[in-house]
Amino acid sequence: MYRQILLLWLTYLARPCYADDISGGTVYQVIAHNCPRFAELLNKVDHADLLSSPSDFTVFAPNDTAFENLSPEALHEINSMDYLQTTNFVEFYTIHKIRLDITNVRNNEVRNSMSPDGTLFFNKRTRSNRESIGVTGVSEFYVNGALIVRPNVMAQNGIVQIIDRVLFPTSSQNALAYIQNPDQSWVKSLKFFQLMKLLRGDNYQPVTEINTLAKITLFVPNDDAFDKIPEEKLHQLQGQGTTLKEVIQKHFIPNQFIFTSWVQHNHGYPNTVGSLVTFRKPLQDKIFVYSGGVSAEIVYGNITVNNGVIHVVDTLLGFIYYTCLEQIEKDAKIFFQLLSKGSEEIRLKLTLSTGVTVLVPIDEAFDMLINVPWVNLNDQKLIDKILELHILQEDETLHVNLIDGNYNSRISRRTLYYGWPITVYNQRNESWIQGGYVRAAVNRSDVENTNGRVHFIDSVLGVPFLDIPAAIYYDEWLTRTYDLLQSVGMANYLRDVRYNPTRLPYRNYRNPTSNFGGQTIIPYSPALLNTALDPCFGCKFTFFIPNGTEIDHFHLSNVGERIMQTPCAMRHVFKRHMIRGEHSMERMGNGQYIFTTLTNEQIRITKYADKYVELLYNGKRARVVLMDIGATNGLIHIVDRILYYEKDSFGCVDAASSSSTSILCTLVIVLIARLLSCLSNY
């Protein structure tokens, strides 16, 4: 009897449990239970009765979080709608007389809802994870850019699809009519429409396509984008019909509607002339589009019109008119001033007719150097080093948007600074450039100029501005590692006492909403300094630091947990990952090397295929997953494994501990050994 009850209870617990699991409920009841904010709008226009009637409905219902994420202006607009407007609004989300199973919807499909302006655009994406057994993935479905977070919630009289954002009805106008007379007055697209009107004859083709395409993604430069163009350059464009036609063609993708929420980072789609329009979605809350050699920020996206979607951008795409030097003067004042102090030979490189590639630190990047008192930007030797590290050799080109894959797919290019390499790769949904022991995120990539290409970056190559603890602290991949490092007193030991950083880096992963300012950072807590190791004055380290994922795995093992609970044992393990001096893995040749760690143990380092590095210690192997992260007092290489063995958990073997602690640990080990010997004799 009891076994039957237990079996029934376990069966109940094992069944799928959903918050919206209402047996036999109507569409309205499902919505009221899961999306009460949207249900309030239904009640306002008596649609509760409609969605409870014996018919077939499919409703795309925004959850409450979607309403909470609205701007105050958008929320006020919804709350201020009259009866007719509210009716149109809720009917926009409703398909009548159809139970639409979302898994049967194809990517790039169009359907109509009950609203007069009820065009719905569907996208489908499969998230794939490549494993040894093949490719697996989960399909995601989007409607007008909103992710369906709970698909196919069944009701008695239909299906509810719960979405993650509030949608506004599709414009009744097509793309061309909309930019001539936008429904929202703040779009300001008239100058772009007037530019298209200048096309005549055969050159008028792109305007015809925009007007007649059944599906389109259109990028519309706002009026401010035209104000940025020098007047004489704009007049030249307006008078060149063929060039103007090519520029317009680079502003739209035919036969597809692409929403910013659906598109993936660094993915490109062919425009009407076959070249790619690439989207960039870095971690920051900005989305960029690259087309025709020009990068632009999407300042307002996902405006739905009856034949597709419009994204408002801040730059005219496809129109290149600045030289590299002019682009730098316009967008990076401090680096331009540095160029004026550089040698004549360096400046001449930027006036080459073609093929110039410059990595340009944005102005905020130089603010970080305030923390480093020995950096003097009036020092001619340092100025020339910085400039040469940011200019590639003449036979080297770099197209960041074409790099496909993660860190293992990285590429190298040579700079003017004695041929020193820079490494370019993708990671954490961003593109990175690493050189001179500094890692910089690409702020704006592949800005084409009349004589070359410029990439804007957020750090100054060749001048590390954080010491080892601070560099670890501000890397989100090392958050767990830093916390452990600090808790055992090692953060203080690794600090560079020559300076004390007083400002937050503008790339603060621990607080992504924080911006560069006057806040104080303390990557080594004063509360722990009494128990921490003293700083190593004048020391430089190479630290093979385990990433946060490995720290979590280590904690779950019995040996790892014991080591982590014993500070001196954990310090010893950390020191096994450190060697004296700065040792670059990127610049090291292929082969095998033996290094002595701070624990006076030897580790074997192997590099092969010019990019893969492994560590070997006592039968354990660790792979370097990211190398040559520079600090003011050394280099960091991130590894995927901790090098330890079981003896580490038996006692304190930290040679840097106080002498009394070392003696006590030694006595304990001797006593344990003596006891084990006696027991074996007995």
Side-chain angles (χ1 to χ4, degrees), residues 8-9 64 168 174 193 199 286 301 320 358 446 526 585 621:
L8 288 171
W9 176 246
D64 282 5
F168 287 87
N174 70 7
F193 180 76
L199 295 175
K286 292 183 178 181
I320 301 168
V358 192
D446 299 306
M585 299 294 105
R621 194 180 303 272

Side-chain angles (χ1 to χ4, degrees), residues 366-385:
F366 288 92
D367 290 338
M368 288 295 92
L369 304 187
I370 297 171
N371 291 329
V372 191
W374 56 85
V375 173
N376 179 8
L377 292 182
N378 291 312
D379 181 347
Q380 190 63 49
K381 185 176 180 180
L382 178 60
I383 290 172
D384 288 345
K385 174 186 176 180

Side-chain angles (χ1 to χ4, degrees), residues 496-509:
D496 187 343
V497 297
R498 295 175 297 169
Y499 84 110
N500 184 31
T502 57
R503 296 190 183 185
L504 275 171
Y506 50 89
R507 298 183 55 78
N508 180 5
Y509 288 118

Side-chain angles (χ1 to χ4, degrees), residues 433-440 459-465 628-631 635:
I433 292 178
Q434 195 163 315
Y437 306 135
V438 170
R439 180 174 50 163
S459 297
V460 180
L461 303 182
V463 190
F465 56 86
D628 282 14
I629 302 171
L635 288 174

Side-chain angles (χ1 to χ4, degrees), residues 55-76:
S55 185
D56 288 328
F57 299 95
T58 301
V59 180
F60 300 89
N63 57 24
D64 282 5
T65 304
F67 283 92
E68 292 166 5
N69 290 335
L70 285 174
S71 67
E73 295 79 11
L75 190 59
H76 175 73

Side-chain angles (χ1 to χ4, degrees), residues 382-444:
L382 178 60
I383 290 172
D384 288 345
K385 174 186 176 180
I386 291 174
L387 294 177
E388 289 175 354
L389 270 172
H390 289 80
I391 303 173
L392 300 191
Q393 294 187 3
E394 291 180 30
D395 57 342
E396 302 276 337
T397 59
L398 176 62
H399 203 315
V400 172
N401 285 330
L402 294 183
I403 298 174
D404 187 20
N406 58 15
Y407 181 71
N408 288 334
S409 302
R410 63 192 185 276
I411 63 171
S412 293
R413 294 291 185 267
R414 292 172 297 153
T415 68
L416 294 182
Y417 185 68
Y418 301 105
W420 270 45
I422 56 118
T423 304
V424 191
Y425 57 92
N426 292 323
Q427 189 185 45
R428 296 196 297 254
N429 228 39
E430 296 203 63
S431 300
W432 300 82
I433 292 178
Q434 195 163 315
Y437 306 135
V438 170
R439 180 174 50 163
V442 179
N443 183 275
R444 189 153 54 107

